[in-house]
PDB file of all heavy atoms in Angstrom:
ATOM      1  N   TYR A  98       3.489   0.016  42.172  1.00 97.00           N
ATOM      2  CA  TYR A  98       2.811  -1.193  41.703  1.00 97.00           C
ATOM      3  C   TYR A  98       3.156  -2.362  42.619  1.00 97.00           C
ATOM      4  O   TYR A  98       4.158  -2.334  43.338  1.00 97.00           O
ATOM      5  CB  TYR A  98       3.181  -1.509  40.245  1.00 97.00           C
ATOM      6  CG  TYR A  98       4.634  -1.839  40.002  1.00 97.00           C
ATOM      7  CD1 TYR A  98       5.097  -3.157  40.050  1.00 97.00           C
ATOM      8  CD2 TYR A  98       5.555  -0.836  39.715  1.00 97.00           C
ATOM      9  CE1 TYR A  98       6.429  -3.460  39.826  1.00 97.00           C
ATOM     10  CE2 TYR A  98       6.890  -1.137  39.490  1.00 97.00           C
ATOM     11  CZ  TYR A  98       7.323  -2.442  39.539  1.00 97.00           C
ATOM     12  OH  TYR A  98       8.639  -2.739  39.330  1.00 97.00           O
ATOM     13  N   GLU A  99       2.288  -3.387  42.589  1.00 97.00           N
ATOM     14  CA  GLU A  99       2.538  -4.610  43.358  1.00 97.00           C
ATOM     15  C   GLU A  99       2.881  -5.720  42.373  1.00 97.00           C
ATOM     16  O   GLU A  99       2.797  -5.527  41.160  1.00 97.00           O
ATOM     17  CB  GLU A  99       1.281  -4.979  44.141  1.00 97.00           C
ATOM     18  CG  GLU A  99       0.906  -3.938  45.195  1.00 97.00           C
ATOM     19  CD  GLU A  99      -0.401  -4.269  45.889  1.00 97.00           C
ATOM     20  OE1 GLU A  99      -1.102  -5.208  45.450  1.00 97.00           O
ATOM     21  OE2 GLU A  99      -0.709  -3.585  46.866  1.00 97.00           O
ATOM     22  N   LEU A 100       3.231  -6.886  42.905  1.00 97.00           N
ATOM     23  CA  LEU A 100       3.515  -8.034  42.040  1.00 97.00           C
ATOM     24  C   LEU A 100       2.526  -9.154  42.316  1.00 97.00           C
ATOM     25  O   LEU A 100       2.186  -9.424  43.478  1.00 97.00           O
ATOM     26  CB  LEU A 100       4.946  -8.541  42.268  1.00 97.00           C
ATOM     27  CG  LEU A 100       6.080  -7.619  41.827  1.00 97.00           C
ATOM     28  CD1 LEU A 100       7.428  -8.226  42.198  1.00 97.00           C
ATOM     29  CD2 LEU A 100       6.018  -7.327  40.326  1.00 97.00           C
ATOM     30  N   SER A 101       2.070  -9.804  41.246  1.00 97.00           N
ATOM     31  CA  SER A 101       1.177 -10.957  41.401  1.00 97.00           C
ATOM     32  C   SER A 101       1.995 -12.171  41.830  1.00 97.00           C
ATOM     33  O   SER A 101       3.232 -12.111  41.905  1.00 97.00           O
ATOM     34  CB  SER A 101       0.486 -11.259  40.066  1.00 97.00           C
ATOM     35  OG  SER A 101       1.410 -11.887  39.187  1.00 97.00           O
ATOM     36  N   GLY A 102       1.325 -13.289  42.054  1.00 94.00           N
ATOM     37  CA  GLY A 102       2.011 -14.530  42.405  1.00 94.00           C
ATOM     38  C   GLY A 102       2.989 -14.981  41.333  1.00 94.00           C
ATOM     39  O   GLY A 102       3.955 -15.691  41.613  1.00 94.00           O
ATOM     40  N   GLN A 103       2.738 -14.554  40.076  1.00 93.00           N
ATOM     41  CA  GLN A 103       3.652 -14.899  38.962  1.00 93.00           C
ATOM     42  C   GLN A 103       4.632 -13.760  38.683  1.00 93.00           C
ATOM     43  O   GLN A 103       5.239 -13.702  37.614  1.00 93.00           O
ATOM     44  CB  GLN A 103       2.864 -15.187  37.680  1.00 93.00           C
ATOM     45  CG  GLN A 103       2.172 -16.530  37.639  1.00 93.00           C
ATOM     46  CD  GLN A 103       0.856 -16.495  38.387  1.00 93.00           C
ATOM     47  OE1 GLN A 103       0.196 -15.452  38.456  1.00 93.00           O
ATOM     48  NE2 GLN A 103       0.461 -17.612  38.971  1.00 93.00           N
ATOM     49  N   ASN A 104       4.756 -12.815  39.643  1.00 95.00           N
ATOM     50  CA  ASN A 104       5.666 -11.664  39.517  1.00 95.00           C
ATOM     51  C   ASN A 104       5.256 -10.674  38.443  1.00 95.00           C
ATOM     52  O   ASN A 104       6.091  -9.904  37.952  1.00 95.00           O
ATOM     53  CB  ASN A 104       7.113 -12.107  39.248  1.00 95.00           C
ATOM     54  CG  ASN A 104       7.781 -12.578  40.515  1.00 95.00           C
ATOM     55  OD1 ASN A 104       7.499 -12.031  41.587  1.00 95.00           O
ATOM     56  ND2 ASN A 104       8.595 -13.602  40.413  1.00 95.00           N
ATOM     57  N   VAL A 105       3.988 -10.692  38.031  1.00 98.00           N
ATOM     58  CA  VAL A 105       3.520  -9.732  37.022  1.00 98.00           C
ATOM     59  C   VAL A 105       3.117  -8.434  37.734  1.00 98.00           C
ATOM     60  O   VAL A 105       2.415  -8.482  38.747  1.00 98.00           O
ATOM     61  CB  VAL A 105       2.307 -10.305  36.244  1.00 98.00           C
ATOM     62  CG1 VAL A 105       1.802  -9.293  35.232  1.00 98.00           C
ATOM     63  CG2 VAL A 105       2.692 -11.609  35.563  1.00 98.00           C
ATOM     64  N   PRO A 106       3.564  -7.275  37.220  1.00 98.00           N
ATOM     65  CA  PRO A 106       3.210  -6.004  37.859  1.00 98.00           C
ATOM     66  C   PRO A 106       1.696  -5.755  37.843  1.00 98.00           C
ATOM     67  O   PRO A 106       1.040  -5.965  36.815  1.00 98.00           O
ATOM     68  CB  PRO A 106       3.914  -4.953  36.996  1.00 98.00           C
ATOM     69  CG  PRO A 106       4.959  -5.677  36.248  1.00 98.00           C
ATOM     70  CD  PRO A 106       4.472  -7.081  36.076  1.00 98.00           C
ATOM     71  N   LEU A 107       1.184  -5.317  38.984  1.00 98.00           N
ATOM     72  CA  LEU A 107      -0.236  -4.987  39.131  1.00 98.00           C
ATOM     73  C   LEU A 107      -0.344  -3.499  39.426  1.00 98.00           C
ATOM     74  O   LEU A 107       0.133  -3.027  40.455  1.00 98.00           O
ATOM     75  CB  LEU A 107      -0.857  -5.785  40.281  1.00 98.00           C
ATOM     76  CG  LEU A 107      -0.773  -7.305  40.166  1.00 98.00           C
ATOM     77  CD1 LEU A 107      -1.302  -7.963  41.442  1.00 98.00           C
ATOM     78  CD2 LEU A 107      -1.560  -7.788  38.948  1.00 98.00           C
ATOM     79  N   ILE A 108      -0.954  -2.773  38.484  1.00 97.00           N
ATOM     80  CA  ILE A 108      -1.090  -1.322  38.626  1.00 97.00           C
ATOM     81  C   ILE A 108      -2.447  -1.031  39.247  1.00 97.00           C
ATOM     82  O   ILE A 108      -3.467  -1.633  38.863  1.00 97.00           O
ATOM     83  CB  ILE A 108      -0.956  -0.636  37.246  1.00 97.00           C
ATOM     84  CG1 ILE A 108       0.398  -0.981  36.614  1.00 97.00           C
ATOM     85  CG2 ILE A 108      -1.108   0.867  37.367  1.00 97.00           C
ATOM     86  CD1 ILE A 108       0.492  -0.645  35.140  1.00 97.00           C
ATOM     87  N   ALA A 109      -2.466  -0.100  40.200  1.00 95.00           N
ATOM     88  CA  ALA A 109      -3.704   0.223  40.912  1.00 95.00           C
ATOM     89  C   ALA A 109      -4.611   1.120  40.069  1.00 95.00           C
ATOM     90  O   ALA A 109      -4.153   1.794  39.148  1.00 95.00           O
ATOM     91  CB  ALA A 109      -3.371   0.920  42.226  1.00 95.00           C
ATOM     92  N   GLY A 110      -5.901   1.122  40.397  1.00 94.00           N
ATOM     93  CA  GLY A 110      -6.840   2.074  39.811  1.00 94.00           C
ATOM     94  C   GLY A 110      -7.579   1.585  38.591  1.00 94.00           C
ATOM     95  O   GLY A 110      -8.413   2.311  38.043  1.00 94.00           O
ATOM     96  N   ALA A 111      -7.291   0.360  38.133  1.00 96.00           N
ATOM     97  CA  ALA A 111      -7.988  -0.147  36.941  1.00 96.00           C
ATOM     98  C   ALA A 111      -9.423  -0.534  37.302  1.00 96.00           C
ATOM     99  O   ALA A 111      -9.730  -0.837  38.459  1.00 96.00           O
ATOM    100  CB  ALA A 111      -7.243  -1.351  36.368  1.00 96.00           C
ATOM    101  N   ILE A 112     -10.281  -0.551  36.290  1.00 96.00           N
ATOM    102  CA  ILE A 112     -11.677  -0.945  36.497  1.00 96.00           C
ATOM    103  C   ILE A 112     -11.760  -2.443  36.771  1.00 96.00           C
ATOM    104  O   ILE A 112     -12.507  -2.891  37.652  1.00 96.00           O
ATOM    105  CB  ILE A 112     -12.512  -0.570  35.259  1.00 96.00           C
ATOM    106  CG1 ILE A 112     -12.684   0.954  35.198  1.00 96.00           C
ATOM    107  CG2 ILE A 112     -13.862  -1.271  35.269  1.00 96.00           C
ATOM    108  CD1 ILE A 112     -13.517   1.434  34.054  1.00 96.00           C
ATOM    109  N   THR A 113     -11.008  -3.209  36.019  1.00 97.00           N
ATOM    110  CA  THR A 113     -10.949  -4.671  36.184  1.00 97.00           C
ATOM    111  C   THR A 113      -9.566  -5.139  35.775  1.00 97.00           C
ATOM    112  O   THR A 113      -8.947  -4.541  34.889  1.00 97.00           O
ATOM    113  CB  THR A 113     -12.012  -5.353  35.280  1.00 97.00           C
ATOM    114  OG1 THR A 113     -13.310  -4.881  35.650  1.00 97.00           O
ATOM    115  CG2 THR A 113     -12.000  -6.861  35.430  1.00 97.00           C
ATOM    116  N   ARG A 114      -9.066  -6.182  36.432  1.00 98.00           N
ATOM    117  CA  ARG A 114      -7.796  -6.791  36.007  1.00 98.00           C
ATOM    118  C   ARG A 114      -8.046  -8.257  35.674  1.00 98.00           C
ATOM    119  O   ARG A 114      -8.692  -8.975  36.445  1.00 98.00           O
ATOM    120  CB  ARG A 114      -6.742  -6.695  37.121  1.00 98.00           C
ATOM    121  CG  ARG A 114      -6.313  -5.260  37.397  1.00 98.00           C
ATOM    122  CD  ARG A 114      -5.049  -5.155  38.229  1.00 98.00           C
ATOM    123  NE  ARG A 114      -5.126  -5.698  39.554  1.00 98.00           N
ATOM    124  CZ  ARG A 114      -4.650  -5.093  40.647  1.00 98.00           C
ATOM    125  NH1 ARG A 114      -4.086  -3.903  40.552  1.00 98.00           N
ATOM    126  NH2 ARG A 114      -4.717  -5.682  41.817  1.00 98.00           N
ATOM    127  N   PHE A 115      -7.544  -8.679  34.502  1.00 98.00           N
ATOM    128  CA  PHE A 115      -7.614 -10.076  34.090  1.00 98.00           C
ATOM    129  C   PHE A 115      -6.213 -10.676  34.163  1.00 98.00           C
ATOM    130  O   PHE A 115      -5.309 -10.197  33.472  1.00 98.00           O
ATOM    131  CB  PHE A 115      -8.132 -10.207  32.657  1.00 98.00           C
ATOM    132  CG  PHE A 115      -9.546  -9.743  32.462  1.00 98.00           C
ATOM    133  CD1 PHE A 115      -9.817  -8.513  31.873  1.00 98.00           C
ATOM    134  CD2 PHE A 115     -10.615 -10.531  32.870  1.00 98.00           C
ATOM    135  CE1 PHE A 115     -11.123  -8.083  31.687  1.00 98.00           C
ATOM    136  CE2 PHE A 115     -11.931 -10.107  32.686  1.00 98.00           C
ATOM    137  CZ  PHE A 115     -12.176  -8.877  32.099  1.00 98.00           C
ATOM    138  N   HIS A 116      -6.044 -11.699  34.974  1.00 98.00           N
ATOM    139  CA  HIS A 116      -4.774 -12.438  35.010  1.00 98.00           C
ATOM    140  C   HIS A 116      -4.889 -13.539  33.959  1.00 98.00           C
ATOM    141  O   HIS A 116      -5.794 -14.388  34.038  1.00 98.00           O
ATOM    142  CB  HIS A 116      -4.552 -13.057  36.389  1.00 98.00           C
ATOM    143  CG  HIS A 116      -4.366 -12.054  37.478  1.00 98.00           C
ATOM    144  ND1 HIS A 116      -3.221 -11.982  38.242  1.00 98.00           N
ATOM    145  CD2 HIS A 116      -5.183 -11.064  37.929  1.00 98.00           C
ATOM    146  CE1 HIS A 116      -3.344 -11.002  39.110  1.00 98.00           C
ATOM    147  NE2 HIS A 116      -4.523 -10.434  38.953  1.00 98.00           N
ATOM    148  N   CYS A 117      -3.984 -13.527  32.990  1.00 98.00           N
ATOM    149  CA  CYS A 117      -4.117 -14.424  31.824  1.00 98.00           C
ATOM    150  C   CYS A 117      -2.855 -15.251  31.605  1.00 98.00           C
ATOM    151  O   CYS A 117      -1.761 -14.883  32.046  1.00 98.00           O
ATOM    152  CB  CYS A 117      -4.349 -13.598  30.557  1.00 98.00           C
ATOM    153  SG  CYS A 117      -5.791 -12.528  30.642  1.00 98.00           S
ATOM    154  N   SER A 118      -3.037 -16.356  30.887  1.00 98.00           N
ATOM    155  CA  SER A 118      -1.878 -17.097  30.382  1.00 98.00           C
ATOM    156  C   SER A 118      -2.121 -17.388  28.900  1.00 98.00           C
ATOM    157  O   SER A 118      -3.234 -17.745  28.482  1.00 98.00           O
ATOM    158  CB  SER A 118      -1.644 -18.383  31.177  1.00 98.00           C
ATOM    159  OG  SER A 118      -2.841 -19.049  31.428  1.00 98.00           O
ATOM    160  N   THR A 119      -1.059 -17.209  28.112  1.00 98.00           N
ATOM    161  CA  THR A 119      -1.182 -17.339  26.656  1.00 98.00           C
ATOM    162  C   THR A 119      -1.474 -18.783  26.262  1.00 98.00           C
ATOM    163  O   THR A 119      -0.795 -19.709  26.709  1.00 98.00           O
ATOM    164  CB  THR A 119       0.125 -16.876  25.972  1.00 98.00           C
ATOM    165  OG1 THR A 119       0.365 -15.522  26.339  1.00 98.00           O
ATOM    166  CG2 THR A 119       0.013 -16.973  24.454  1.00 98.00           C
ATOM    167  N   VAL A 120      -2.505 -18.961  25.414  1.00 98.00           N
ATOM    168  CA  VAL A 120      -2.809 -20.301  24.901  1.00 98.00           C
ATOM    169  C   VAL A 120      -2.622 -20.392  23.387  1.00 98.00           C
ATOM    170  O   VAL A 120      -2.452 -21.485  22.848  1.00 98.00           O
ATOM    171  CB  VAL A 120      -4.227 -20.775  25.305  1.00 98.00           C
ATOM    172  CG1 VAL A 120      -4.280 -21.075  26.788  1.00 98.00           C
ATOM    173  CG2 VAL A 120      -5.299 -19.771  24.916  1.00 98.00           C
ATOM    174  N   HIS A 121      -2.695 -19.247  22.680  1.00 98.00           N
ATOM    175  CA  HIS A 121      -2.442 -19.234  21.230  1.00 98.00           C
ATOM    176  C   HIS A 121      -1.703 -17.950  20.872  1.00 98.00           C
ATOM    177  O   HIS A 121      -1.932 -16.912  21.499  1.00 98.00           O
ATOM    178  CB  HIS A 121      -3.740 -19.275  20.410  1.00 98.00           C
ATOM    179  CG  HIS A 121      -4.588 -20.465  20.657  1.00 98.00           C
ATOM    180  ND1 HIS A 121      -4.236 -21.738  20.269  1.00 98.00           N
ATOM    181  CD2 HIS A 121      -5.794 -20.573  21.265  1.00 98.00           C
ATOM    182  CE1 HIS A 121      -5.179 -22.585  20.623  1.00 98.00           C
ATOM    183  NE2 HIS A 121      -6.140 -21.906  21.238  1.00 98.00           N
ATOM    184  N   ASN A 122      -0.871 -18.041  19.853  1.00 98.00           N
ATOM    185  CA  ASN A 122      -0.164 -16.865  19.336  1.00 98.00           C
ATOM    186  C   ASN A 122      -0.172 -16.975  17.811  1.00 98.00           C
ATOM    187  O   ASN A 122       0.525 -17.815  17.238  1.00 98.00           O
ATOM    188  CB  ASN A 122       1.275 -16.841  19.880  1.00 98.00           C
ATOM    189  CG  ASN A 122       2.069 -15.651  19.372  1.00 98.00           C
ATOM    190  OD1 ASN A 122       1.683 -14.992  18.408  1.00 98.00           O
ATOM    191  ND2 ASN A 122       3.196 -15.373  20.023  1.00 98.00           N
ATOM    192  N   TYR A 123      -1.028 -16.157  17.159  1.00 98.00           N
ATOM    193  CA  TYR A 123      -1.185 -16.231  15.707  1.00 98.00           C
ATOM    194  C   TYR A 123      -0.506 -15.047  15.032  1.00 98.00           C
ATOM    195  O   TYR A 123      -0.893 -13.894  15.287  1.00 98.00           O
ATOM    196  CB  TYR A 123      -2.666 -16.187  15.333  1.00 98.00           C
ATOM    197  CG  TYR A 123      -3.526 -17.258  15.948  1.00 98.00           C
ATOM    198  CD1 TYR A 123      -4.424 -16.945  16.967  1.00 98.00           C
ATOM    199  CD2 TYR A 123      -3.476 -18.575  15.497  1.00 98.00           C
ATOM    200  CE1 TYR A 123      -5.239 -17.919  17.525  1.00 98.00           C
ATOM    201  CE2 TYR A 123      -4.279 -19.554  16.055  1.00 98.00           C
ATOM    202  CZ  TYR A 123      -5.151 -19.224  17.062  1.00 98.00           C
ATOM    203  OH  TYR A 123      -5.953 -20.185  17.627  1.00 98.00           O
ATOM    204  N   PRO A 124       0.473 -15.280  14.144  1.00 98.00           N
ATOM    205  CA  PRO A 124       1.003 -14.170  13.341  1.00 98.00           C
ATOM    206  C   PRO A 124      -0.112 -13.628  12.447  1.00 98.00           C
ATOM    207  O   PRO A 124      -0.873 -14.416  11.859  1.00 98.00           O
ATOM    208  CB  PRO A 124       2.105 -14.826  12.502  1.00 98.00           C
ATOM    209  CG  PRO A 124       2.395 -16.139  13.142  1.00 98.00           C
ATOM    210  CD  PRO A 124       1.120 -16.563  13.811  1.00 98.00           C
ATOM    211  N   ALA A 125      -0.233 -12.309  12.374  1.00 98.00           N
ATOM    212  CA  ALA A 125      -1.280 -11.691  11.543  1.00 98.00           C
ATOM    213  C   ALA A 125      -0.751 -10.378  10.985  1.00 98.00           C
ATOM    214  O   ALA A 125      -0.844  -9.331  11.632  1.00 98.00           O
ATOM    215  CB  ALA A 125      -2.549 -11.466  12.364  1.00 98.00           C
ATOM    216  N   GLY A 126      -0.172 -10.435   9.786  1.00 98.00           N
ATOM    217  CA  GLY A 126       0.343  -9.215   9.164  1.00 98.00           C
ATOM    218  C   GLY A 126       1.438  -8.590  10.006  1.00 98.00           C
ATOM    219  O   GLY A 126       2.396  -9.263  10.410  1.00 98.00           O
ATOM    220  N   ASP A 127       1.261  -7.278  10.328  1.00 98.00           N
ATOM    221  CA  ASP A 127       2.297  -6.598  11.110  1.00 98.00           C
ATOM    222  C   ASP A 127       2.065  -6.727  12.617  1.00 98.00           C
ATOM    223  O   ASP A 127       2.706  -6.036  13.415  1.00 98.00           O
ATOM    224  CB  ASP A 127       2.444  -5.128  10.674  1.00 98.00           C
ATOM    225  CG  ASP A 127       1.142  -4.360  10.769  1.00 98.00           C
ATOM    226  OD1 ASP A 127       0.189  -4.859  11.399  1.00 98.00           O
ATOM    227  OD2 ASP A 127       1.079  -3.241  10.204  1.00 98.00           O
ATOM    228  N   HIS A 128       1.125  -7.574  13.022  1.00 98.00           N
ATOM    229  CA  HIS A 128       0.858  -7.844  14.440  1.00 98.00           C
ATOM    230  C   HIS A 128       0.847  -9.357  14.700  1.00 98.00           C
ATOM    231  O   HIS A 128       0.802 -10.153  13.751  1.00 98.00           O
ATOM    232  CB  HIS A 128      -0.499  -7.279  14.872  1.00 98.00           C
ATOM    233  CG  HIS A 128      -0.488  -5.809  15.147  1.00 98.00           C
ATOM    234  ND1 HIS A 128      -0.145  -4.867  14.197  1.00 98.00           N
ATOM    235  CD2 HIS A 128      -0.769  -5.099  16.273  1.00 98.00           C
ATOM    236  CE1 HIS A 128      -0.220  -3.659  14.733  1.00 98.00           C
ATOM    237  NE2 HIS A 128      -0.589  -3.770  15.995  1.00 98.00           N
ATOM    238  N   ASN A 129       0.861  -9.740  15.964  1.00 98.00           N
ATOM    239  CA  ASN A 129       0.535 -11.103  16.385  1.00 98.00           C
ATOM    240  C   ASN A 129      -0.700 -11.027  17.269  1.00 98.00           C
ATOM    241  O   ASN A 129      -0.805 -10.117  18.108  1.00 98.00           O
ATOM    242  CB  ASN A 129       1.674 -11.732  17.203  1.00 98.00           C
ATOM    243  CG  ASN A 129       2.763 -12.300  16.319  1.00 98.00           C
ATOM    244  OD1 ASN A 129       3.159 -11.668  15.341  1.00 98.00           O
ATOM    245  ND2 ASN A 129       3.260 -13.473  16.658  1.00 98.00           N
ATOM    246  N   ILE A 130      -1.636 -11.954  17.068  1.00 98.00           N
ATOM    247  CA  ILE A 130      -2.827 -12.029  17.914  1.00 98.00           C
ATOM    248  C   ILE A 130      -2.537 -13.013  19.041  1.00 98.00           C
ATOM    249  O   ILE A 130      -2.199 -14.178  18.798  1.00 98.00           O
ATOM    250  CB  ILE A 130      -4.047 -12.509  17.109  1.00 98.00           C
ATOM    251  CG1 ILE A 130      -4.348 -11.528  15.972  1.00 98.00           C
ATOM    252  CG2 ILE A 130      -5.260 -12.678  18.021  1.00 98.00           C
ATOM    253  CD1 ILE A 130      -5.335 -12.072  14.947  1.00 98.00           C
ATOM    254  N   LEU A 131      -2.654 -12.531  20.274  1.00 98.00           N
ATOM    255  CA  LEU A 131      -2.405 -13.379  21.432  1.00 98.00           C
ATOM    256  C   LEU A 131      -3.747 -13.724  22.078  1.00 98.00           C
ATOM    257  O   LEU A 131      -4.524 -12.831  22.426  1.00 98.00           O
ATOM    258  CB  LEU A 131      -1.519 -12.661  22.451  1.00 98.00           C
ATOM    259  CG  LEU A 131      -0.146 -12.223  21.924  1.00 98.00           C
ATOM    260  CD1 LEU A 131       0.607 -11.417  22.973  1.00 98.00           C
ATOM    261  CD2 LEU A 131       0.678 -13.439  21.518  1.00 98.00           C
ATOM    262  N   VAL A 132      -4.022 -15.012  22.202  1.00 98.00           N
ATOM    263  CA  VAL A 132      -5.246 -15.458  22.879  1.00 98.00           C
ATOM    264  C   VAL A 132      -4.841 -15.941  24.264  1.00 98.00           C
ATOM    265  O   VAL A 132      -3.914 -16.759  24.403  1.00 98.00           O
ATOM    266  CB  VAL A 132      -5.940 -16.585  22.092  1.00 98.00           C
ATOM    267  CG1 VAL A 132      -7.176 -17.072  22.842  1.00 98.00           C
ATOM    268  CG2 VAL A 132      -6.326 -16.099  20.701  1.00 98.00           C
ATOM    269  N   GLY A 133      -5.513 -15.409  25.287  1.00 98.00           N
ATOM    270  CA  GLY A 133      -5.173 -15.750  26.663  1.00 98.00           C
ATOM    271  C   GLY A 133      -6.319 -16.405  27.387  1.00 98.00           C
ATOM    272  O   GLY A 133      -7.486 -16.049  27.196  1.00 98.00           O
ATOM    273  N   SER A 134      -5.968 -17.372  28.213  1.00 98.00           N
ATOM    274  CA  SER A 134      -6.939 -17.980  29.111  1.00 98.00           C
ATOM    275  C   SER A 134      -6.995 -17.106  30.370  1.00 98.00           C
ATOM    276  O   SER A 134      -5.957 -16.700  30.896  1.00 98.00           O
ATOM    277  CB  SER A 134      -6.443 -19.388  29.439  1.00 98.00           C
ATOM    278  OG  SER A 134      -7.072 -19.861  30.576  1.00 98.00           O
ATOM    279  N   VAL A 135      -8.209 -16.786  30.828  1.00 98.00           N
ATOM    280  CA  VAL A 135      -8.354 -15.937  32.020  1.00 98.00           C
ATOM    281  C   VAL A 135      -8.298 -16.820  33.262  1.00 98.00           C
ATOM    282  O   VAL A 135      -9.184 -17.651  33.490  1.00 98.00           O
ATOM    283  CB  VAL A 135      -9.675 -15.137  31.972  1.00 98.00           C
ATOM    284  CG1 VAL A 135      -9.828 -14.294  33.234  1.00 98.00           C
ATOM    285  CG2 VAL A 135      -9.732 -14.262  30.725  1.00 98.00           C
TER     286      VAL A 135
END
Side-chain angles (χ1 to χ4, degrees):
Y98 64 91
E99 296 176 351
L100 292 177
S101 75
Q103 284 81 30
N104 282 325
V105 178
L107 302 174
I108 302 166
I112 288 182
T113 300
R114 293 194 297 224
F115 295 103
H116 294 240
C117 303
S118 43
T119 301
V120 289
H121 301 291
N122 180 344
Y123 303 107
D127 56 14
H128 280 60
N129 278 43
I130 299 167
L131 301 175
V132 178
S134 162
V135 178

